[in-house]
């Protein structure tokens, strides 16, 4: 390039920069925004902005962040409140109106089913189009695809051949083709859970990673059970780490505080070490020491002769009773959700405060029954770990709920570059909460109770929570989906 041309370009870009600054100023002074949020503490984990500002929103996007007052058709007073990016939950199984309402009340603006995923990506998105309170998205799921190919009778999780039988080579081909089709149809990631498909060989799981790698899709995995039953046996974790190394697929380890058991710190150390060697490995945690799963699933195979205390520790949320050996065996034949101890409060804290973990709920409510993590995860981290225990800074907690999950997905699904941030041009997915009051209200006995202290939630520029209450009759949620590619 000739030197004078270089100079001209420099002048031109300086002129453009000046004119764009002038444009922003003009916008601030004259425009009336759809919504103006006044006097809130804006927290943007990417730029580090943590100051009182006014935010102007129009047509679903953040248009201005200013120290000057802004005018809106609708005005929100946010004095003493935090204006954070809407929370992005990478792990939310319940994907219907009941669950979206509970998520919105906990500050979640995007809820994603990435661990289990689906066997039919098109149908999954079509079922929610125009009907969702918050943004939604799904992965191509190895478990449901294996269930479909092997005709497993289970609902939600496998209870038959998909759990207990090795796939034939023809079945394996169909399973991999199914996962690949999901990726072509814009699945955000690949879902995987060898704990629930114990008969899937190490080879089969490796092939799933190969498929994900070809599409740059992260693999969100519930690792094979090992740590909980056998401390210092890391083989379930090492399996997926090895597969990520061998294939180049990005790896995301689901709920490390539960599947990591007593080895959660060892596993976090291994993730940090892998990252320092350039591997794309991430993880998540939820702030509860009990888990929820299906009683008929393979996690409870060969548990008929445990001590009484084992059964007594398990809650049957449908009735609120704790189990005995007799009721365990009876309910296992019927099938249903169960809440069982997963780890200790110390291990949960270690996972939540570690800079590596994102916050993700693993939530699902059915007619008000389920685990409190569905409705309480985010407010619990902000109320208990940030405010009460001071175990985590507010900005660090916000980062774990917003920017980190957006960055996890943005290479494959570029729409996430506009989420998880309070910046001009970003999607107006915004959670406004009182840092002095925010707290979870969901309990193991009353899991459906909404969190408190979350005052306003906006999804694509529409209010879904106003003055601490859900707004009725609005459905601004949109599909969060990777680009769709042609299939043959
Ligand atoms: Zn799981």
């Amino acid at each position: 390039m000739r030197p004078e041309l270089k100079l001209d370009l420099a002048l031109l870009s300086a002129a453009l920069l000046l004119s764009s600054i002038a444009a922003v100023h003009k916008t601030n002074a004259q425009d009336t925004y759809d919504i103006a949020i006044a006097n809130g503490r804006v927290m943007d984990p990417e730029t580090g902005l943590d100051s009182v500002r006014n935010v102007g929103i129009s047509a679903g996007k953040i248009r201005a962040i200013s120290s000057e007052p802004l005018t809106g058709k609708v005005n929100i007073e946010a004095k003493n409140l935090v204006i954070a990016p809407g929370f992005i939950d990478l792990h939310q199984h319940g994907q219907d109106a009941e669950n979206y309402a509970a998520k919105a009340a906990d500050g979640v603006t995007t809820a994603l089913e990435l661990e289990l995923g689906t066997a039919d990506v098109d149908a999954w998105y079509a079922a929610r189009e125009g009907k969702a309170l918050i943004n939604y998205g799904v992965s191509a799921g190895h478990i449901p695809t294996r269930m479909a190919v092997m005709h497993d009778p289970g609902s939600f999780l496998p209870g038959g051949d998909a759990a207990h039988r090795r796939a034939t080579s023809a079945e394996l081909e169909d399973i991999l083709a199914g996962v690949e089709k999901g990726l072509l149809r814009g699945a955000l990631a690949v879902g995987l859970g060898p704990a629930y498909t114990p008969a899937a060989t190490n080879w089969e799981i490796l092939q799933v990673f190969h498929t994900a790698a070809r599409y740059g899709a992260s693999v969100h995995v519930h690792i094979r059970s090992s740590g909980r039953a056998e401390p210092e046996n890391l083989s379930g974790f090492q399996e997926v780490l090895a597969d990520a190394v061998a294939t180049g697929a990005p790896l995301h380890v689901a709920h490390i505080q539960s599947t990591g058991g007593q080895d959660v710190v060892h596993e976090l150390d291994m993730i940090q070490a892998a990252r320092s060697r350039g591997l794309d490995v991430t993880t998540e945690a939820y702030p509860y020491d009990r888990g929820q799963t299906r009683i008929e699933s393979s996690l409870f195979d060969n548990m008929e002769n445990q001590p009484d205390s084992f059964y007594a520790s398990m809650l049957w949320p449908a009735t609120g009773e704790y189990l005995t050996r007799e009721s365990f065996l009876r309910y296992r034949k019927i099938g249903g959700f169960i809440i069982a101890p997963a780890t200790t409060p110390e291990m949960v804290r270690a996972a939540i405060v570690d800079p590596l973990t994102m916050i993700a709920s693993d939530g699902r409510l059915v007619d008000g029954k389920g685990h409190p993590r569905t409705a309480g995860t985010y407010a619990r981290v902000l109320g208990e770990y940030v405010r009460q225990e001071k175990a985590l800074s507010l900005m660090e907690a916000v980062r774990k709920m917003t920017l980190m999950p957006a960055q996890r997905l943005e290479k494959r699904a570029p729409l996430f570059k506009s989420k998880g941030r309070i910046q001009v041009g970003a999607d107006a997915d915004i959670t406004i909460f009182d840092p002095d009051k925010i707290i979870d209200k969901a309990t193991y006995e009353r899991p459906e109770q909404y969190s408190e202290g979350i005052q306003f939630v906006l999804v694509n520029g529409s209010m879904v929570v106003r003055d601490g209450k859900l707004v009725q009759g609005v459905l601004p949620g949109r599909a969060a989906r990777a680009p769709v590619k042609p299939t043959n």
Side-chain angles (χ1 to χ4, degrees):
M1 190 182 286
R2 286 179 291 131
E4 60 271 35
L5 184 59
K6 213 170 171 180
L7 187 66
D8 286 348
L9 280 175
L11 278 171
L12 181 65
S13 58
L16 280 173
L17 185 66
L18 280 173
S19 68
S20 70
I21 289 169
V24 167
H25 267 284
K26 226 184 332 178
T27 306
N28 285 354
Q30 295 177 352
D31 278 12
T32 300
Y33 297 93
D34 291 348
I35 298 178
I37 309 168
N39 306 313
R41 177 181 170 189
V42 171
M43 300 191 77
D44 178 52
E46 188 166 56
T47 59
L49 176 65
D50 182 358
S51 295
V52 172
R53 291 282 188 276
N54 305 297
V55 178
I57 293 156
S58 285
K61 299 269 183 190
I62 297 173
R63 305 289 175 187
I65 301 169
S66 173
S67 309
E68 305 300 316
L70 302 175
T71 312
K73 291 173 204 150
V74 174
N75 293 282
I76 294 174
E77 176 55 52
K79 192 168 165 31
N80 299 324
L81 303 180
V82 168
I83 302 175
F87 307 150
I88 300 169
D89 190 346
L90 294 177
H91 194 148
Q92 168 64 24
H93 297 298
Q95 294 278 340
D96 55 19
E98 175 188 14
N99 282 273
Y100 292 156
K103 304 311 294 186
D106 199 34
V108 173
T109 54
T110 302
L112 307 171
E113 159 59 288
L114 301 186
E115 181 211 45
L116 261 183
T118 180
D120 189 339
V121 168
D122 282 329
W124 194 95
Y125 279 107
R128 290 162 182 84
E129 183 80 46
K131 297 178 194 157
L133 186 68
I134 60 175
N135 303 314
Y136 50 89
V138 75
S139 68
H142 173 257
I143 294 174
T145 304
R146 197 174 207 269
M147 288 171 75
V149 168
M150 298 177 80
H151 308 289
D152 191 284
S155 63
F156 194 63
L157 285 170
D161 273 8
H164 299 120
R165 183 166 67 73
R166 184 189 275 235
T168 65
S169 55
E171 284 169 336
L172 178 54
E173 236 174 78
D174 287 350
I175 292 167
L176 297 173
V179 170
E180 178 159 22
K181 175 157 188 242
L183 288 167
L184 289 166
R185 297 309 302 165
L188 290 171
V190 169
L192 185 63
Y196 292 111
T197 57
T201 60
N202 299 131
W203 170 254
E204 177 174 336
I205 299 303
L206 176 67
Q207 300 316 307
V208 176
F209 272 80
H210 271 302
T211 304
R214 286 204 299 280
Y215 294 87
S218 47
V219 184
H220 295 242
V221 53
H222 183 133
I223 63 169
R224 287 184 205 273
S225 304
S226 52
R228 205 190 313 182
E230 307 162 57
E232 298 183 12
N233 178 354
L234 299 168
S235 60
F237 179 79
Q238 287 175 328
E239 174 184 27
V240 292
L241 198 56
D243 291 350
V245 171
T247 64
L251 167 64
H252 182 84
V253 178
H255 44 49
I256 197 166
Q257 91 296 334
S258 70
T259 39
Q262 296 174 62
D263 289 313
V264 67
V265 177
H266 300 150
E267 293 183 2
L268 287 165
D269 284 348
M270 287 172 74
I271 291 174
Q272 182 53 49
R275 291 176 63 84
S276 71
R277 289 170 207 282
L279 281 160
D280 185 0
V281 184
T282 56
T283 190
E284 61 174 50
Y286 61 79
Y288 297 86
D289 58 9
R290 297 194 223 171
Q292 174 181 284
T293 190
R294 299 285 298 193
I295 194 170
E296 72 276 22
S297 76
S298 59
L299 296 190
F300 296 106
D301 286 355
N302 310 314
M303 297 283 189
E304 293 80 10
N305 291 304
Q306 299 293 312
D308 288 349
S309 60
F310 171 80
Y311 308 109
S313 70
M314 290 192 281
L315 175 67
W316 187 249
T319 60
E321 71 189 285
Y322 284 89
L323 298 188
T324 61
R325 183 168 175 281
E326 180 276 320
S327 55
F328 172 83
L329 295 175
R330 181 157 42 86
Y331 286 137
R332 193 159 147 79
K333 287 204 192 89
I334 301 166
F337 282 99
I338 188 162
I339 290 174
T343 185
T344 64
E346 291 71 32
M347 292 295 116
V348 173
R349 186 174 298 99
I352 295 293
V353 305
D354 192 286
L356 284 174
T357 52
M358 304 171 199
I359 305 302
S361 75
D362 196 3
R364 186 175 198 247
L365 282 178
V366 178
D367 298 329
K369 305 284 186 193
H371 191 293
R373 65 196 181 193
T374 311
T377 283
Y378 292 85
R380 186 176 177 86
V381 170
L382 293 167
E384 190 173 316
Y385 293 83
V386 175
R387 184 178 63 248
Q388 293 169 3
E389 295 187 15
K390 299 187 172 34
L392 203 57
S393 78
L394 188 53
M395 184 64 97
E396 182 67 3
V398 167
R399 190 173 76 92
K400 286 168 170 282
M401 299 170 177
T402 60
L403 182 66
M404 287 173 75
Q407 289 175 329
R408 167 72 288 175
L409 297 172
E410 69 189 21
K411 281 195 213 83
R412 174 158 169 81
L415 66 91
F416 280 96
K417 290 179 184 164
S418 304
K419 296 194 184 294
R421 286 115 168 144
I422 299 286
Q423 294 171 22
V424 172
D427 294 342
D429 293 344
I430 299 176
T431 294
I432 302 173
F433 63 89
D434 185 336
D436 296 326
K437 297 210 176 105
I438 190 166
I439 199 71
D440 59 306
K441 289 286 170 184
T443 62
Y444 291 107
E445 293 73 31
R446 297 290 308 277
E448 82 290 3
Q449 298 186 127
Y450 292 165
S451 296
E452 287 183 2
I454 292 167
Q455 296 304 105
F456 299 91
V457 178
L458 282 74
V459 174
N460 298 305
S462 293
M463 262 192 270
V464 300
V465 172
R466 185 173 198 160
D467 295 319
K469 300 217 163 38
L470 283 173
V471 178
Q472 301 301 318
V474 293
L475 297 165
R478 288 192 201 138
R481 193 166 179 170
V484 175
K485 299 265 161 54
T487 46
N488 325 324

